[in-house]
Structure formats: C-alpha cells, structure tokens
Amino acid sequence: VAENGPFENFLSSAALASCVDLFKEEDPTFASWCLRVSKEDFEFGELGYKNGIYTKRWGPNIDSVVCGHGIVAACELYKVTKDEGYLDVAKEYANIVMKCQQVTYPDWDKPIRGFFYEDVKHKFMLSYEHRGHEQSPIQGICDLYELLKDREEEGNLVKKLLKSIKLFKEFIVSTMYS
C-alpha cells in the first residue's frame, strides 16, 4: 500500500533528480517529468516532516534518517536547478543530523563516538535489524560537504560537516575489529 511519508518522498525526490541529467539528451520529456516530480516529492517531504506526518507501516519519523535523506534530495535538486533554496534546506537538515551524532566519548566500558542517534535527544542509537537506512545521515552530510567545501562564505558549516564526517570515520574504524 502506497503511503505519503517524508522519508519516502525524499527517497523518490533524490532518485528522480539524479535522473534529470542522465536523460536530458536521450529523452528530454522524461527528464523534464523527473525534475517536476522530484520537486513535488521534495515539497511533500518537507511539508510532511514539518507537520509530523509519517507512514503507518514504518511509524514515527526518525529525524537523523529523514533529515539525512532530505539533505541528499536537496543536494540532488540543487545540482540540476542551481536553486540556492535547496541548499538552505539542506543546511537546516544538516544541523539537525549533526545534533543527532554522538560527538563526545560516553561513560561506557568501551567508549565510542561518531555514531548517530535517531533524534537530537539521543534516546535510541540509529540501527536497523532488517531494512537499513543507517547511511542516510552520513550520506547527506557528505553530499552537502561536497557542494559547499569550496565556498569560503560557508567556512564554519564546512568545518562542522568535515568534523561530522571524521567522527563517523572514527566510529567505523573503532568498531571494525571489536
């Protein structure tokens, strides 16, 4: 059963935006349709997230995942439209995602950091037992970093994004052989 959830809309938006350049020469009509629907799905995703809409099948939104893929979709749309408004949304979502990340060492027997929680309250670590989207937060952070890294005016945000990437790398490396 199809449902209207922010994550699903952002997934669709990102996929369709990435098709625009692939098909613009071969099938400009299809490329135009992809762009139009990508923009619509992005708007549905934004509206749904702001209004707390979620699918019955998957339950309440997981902020780090929804915002992570919101960044991915915004970056893909920016690449094909050059509309700075998409980058503004990506930056807003990036701040949420980075607040979901463990940046200090917790008081654990084997402390680790760099991983993501589901939300900014750090109640539940981000993990899936089957259907996985753990890559969404870091994928979004990396996509936005790639678009902003050469913009001097974005210096502070770029530093924060890079710190987030390095923390996640530390998490991966520190848990590889555990």
Side-chain angles (χ1 to χ4, degrees):
V1 176
E3 292 186 76
N4 182 20
F7 181 72
E8 290 76 6
N9 281 300
F10 287 142
L11 274 177
S12 173
S13 176
L16 289 167
S18 69
C19 290
V20 173
D21 281 341
L22 292 172
F23 287 98
K24 70 181 175 187
E25 299 295 324
E26 181 181 334
D27 191 342
T29 302
F30 180 65
S32 177
W33 178 87
C34 288
L35 181 58
R36 180 178 55 81
V37 176
S38 175
K39 289 177 178 181
E40 290 173 0
D41 283 347
F42 188 81
E43 289 175 23
F44 288 138
E46 274 192 292
L47 185 62
Y49 182 66
K50 287 177 184 172
N51 290 318
I53 295 171
Y54 57 86
T55 63
K56 291 178 185 175
R57 181 176 185 192
W58 300 115
N61 292 315
I62 296 173
D63 295 324
S64 58
V65 172
V66 174
C67 290
H69 228 75
I71 300 168
V72 173
C75 289
E76 289 296 329
L77 278 165
Y78 172 76
K79 288 177 198 175
V80 295
T81 66
K82 302 302 182 213
D83 181 343
E84 293 283 328
Y86 291 115
L87 286 183
D88 292 339
V89 174
K91 293 175 201 176
E92 176 186 332
Y93 288 160
N95 283 317
I96 295 169
V97 169
M98 288 186 288
K99 287 178 184 172
C100 295
Q101 191 172 32
Q102 179 69 38
V103 296
T104 60
Y105 290 109
D107 187 22
W108 297 345
D109 290 341
K110 185 172 183 177
I112 55 173
R113 64 181 184 170
F115 59 90
F116 291 94
Y117 286 93
E118 291 183 357
D119 62 21
V120 298
K121 295 177 183 175
H122 292 199
K123 187 174 180 182
F124 298 109
M125 290 177 69
L126 179 62
S127 65
Y128 288 87
E129 72 284 348
H130 178 62
R131 170 188 168 221
H133 296 289
E134 291 94 343
Q135 80 285 353
S136 294
I138 198 64
Q139 180 183 359
I141 294 294
C142 289
D143 286 357
L144 186 57
Y145 173 78
E146 282 299 314
L147 289 176
L148 299 180
K149 67 182 179 184
D150 296 325
R151 291 185 175 196
E152 286 184 34
E153 70 276 11
E154 298 291 353
N156 287 335
L157 178 57
V158 169
K159 287 177 188 174
K160 289 179 184 177
L161 294 169
L162 187 57
K163 179 181 178 184
S164 180
I165 293 166
K166 288 179 178 181
L167 281 169
F168 190 74
K169 175 188 173 189
E170 178 184 313
F171 165 66
I172 295 297
V173 170
S174 70
T175 58
M176 281 176 29
Y177 303 106
S178 296

